[in-house]
Amino acid sequence: FAAKVMRGLLLAALLLTLCSSPAQSYDPSEMIKAVHMKDSEFGKFAVEQGGGDGRDGEGWVVLFYMPWCGYCKDVLPVWDRLADELKGEVSVGKVNLESETAVSHRFRHKVKGYPTMVYIKDNAMTTYSGNRDINNLKTFARGGWKQESPQATCLLPLDPANFSMAQKIQTFLEDFVFEIAQSYRGIWQNHQNEFLSAISISFSCGGIFGFGIKIIIDALLPPPLAPRATHPKAKAL
């Protein structure tokens, strides 16, 4: 009987110990969060230092986000957890494209939506296309980026801060044409027939107007008549 009581007490003590042990969880206050990359630091972190933190050439995984984006709000805690779980392996950064306007302008043709997650290494970037859960993101950061399609990888856009005057003018013209194209994109997609008709009418009216102006100018300011040539034999007579 005493042995049974002893075993019961030992079992109860064991259960009490297990129940009183705190469950393992992530405390946001103790996590190592992703590096907030500002305009002045982006080139130094992601381009010049490669992997940063003394791991030159290891690359960075970077999140481009907007603070008002609902999907971005969902992924930000996961991204900070990613930085915590990859500490010592891969550098993890994030860029608020609303406040970091220089980086936003630099990647304006590369970041098509929010959030956008990329791996940056050797002056190239690979865009992530998988699910936004912690396990898939860790796989991507640890080398899964190499398995993305070739279309997901491209060269990093040049830093406008280092542009020559000719490059600045070229960029201005490209942005101007791009903005015009974007403004007409919705019209073309939703009202294609009307858009083609408007273009045809505009060119037709322009041609008619130009021809009418030419007739008026010729009527008001007729060109001088060329002098009539005299035949050589007529002079001799």
Side-chain angles (χ1 to χ4, degrees):
F1 177 76
K4 291 182 179 180
V5 171
M6 207 54 170
R7 284 197 297 269
L9 290 174
L10 289 173
L11 181 60
L14 179 61
L15 291 173
L16 183 62
T17 302
L18 292 175
C19 292
S20 61
S21 299
Q24 184 179 4
S25 61
Y26 275 90
D27 183 359
S29 64
E30 298 179 357
M31 290 172 58
I32 296 176
K33 296 185 178 181
V35 177
H36 180 67
M37 308 169 83
K38 297 184 178 295
D39 284 338
S40 58
E41 301 168 338
F42 182 84
K44 178 181 67 175
F45 281 136
V47 181
E48 296 174 9
Q49 292 185 358
D53 299 337
R55 301 186 304 278
D56 292 340
E58 288 297 325
W60 279 76
V61 279
V62 179
L63 167 69
F64 295 104
Y65 72 96
M66 285 289 191
W68 46 259
C69 168
Y71 295 112
C72 300
K73 293 177 182 178
D74 292 338
V75 81
L76 277 170
V78 181
W79 201 254
D80 284 333
R81 181 180 169 185
L82 178 70
D84 186 68
E85 295 197 13
L86 292 180
K87 58 181 179 289
E89 297 183 54
V90 182
S91 299
V92 181
K94 56 186 177 183
V95 183
N96 181 347
L97 293 181
E98 186 174 69
S99 60
E100 311 309 324
T101 54
V103 177
S104 177
H105 183 262
R106 179 176 179 179
F107 286 84
R108 64 197 182 284
H109 298 320
K110 302 296 182 183
V111 176
K112 304 296 185 181
Y114 312 109
T116 293
M117 292 150 281
V118 301
Y119 182 87
I120 297 177
K121 181 182 179 182
D122 297 334
N123 204 37
M125 57 181 280
T126 301
T127 304
Y128 177 66
S129 60
N131 295 325
R132 300 168 189 151
D133 60 275
I134 188 66
N135 291 326
N136 281 299
L137 288 171
K138 283 196 295 185
T139 300
F140 173 76
R142 285 171 169 163
W145 58 273
K146 299 176 183 177
Q147 308 302 321
E148 293 286 342
S149 66
Q151 293 76 18
T153 301
C154 63
L155 292 175
L156 280 178
L158 298 176
D159 186 357
N162 301 324
F163 278 2
S164 63
M165 183 56 67
Q167 289 175 315
K168 289 180 180 179
I169 295 174
Q170 179 183 351
T171 302
F172 173 79
L173 294 176
E174 288 176 352
D175 289 344
F176 180 74
V177 173
F178 179 78
E179 290 297 330
I180 293 177
Q182 287 295 101
S183 63
Y184 283 103
R185 183 178 179 182
I187 301 175
W188 173 260
Q189 290 178 341
N190 300 322
H191 307 283
Q192 185 172 350
N193 293 331
E194 293 85 348
F195 189 72
L196 290 174
S197 299
I199 291 177
S200 300
I201 293 173
S202 297
F203 275 101
S204 300
C205 291
I208 294 172
F209 180 76
F211 184 70
I213 292 295
K214 183 180 185 306
I215 292 176
I216 294 173
I217 292 175
D218 288 344
L220 296 176
L221 301 171
L225 298 175
R228 298 178 61 183
T230 305
H231 199 278
K233 292 184 178 180
K235 285 185 178 182
L237 295 173

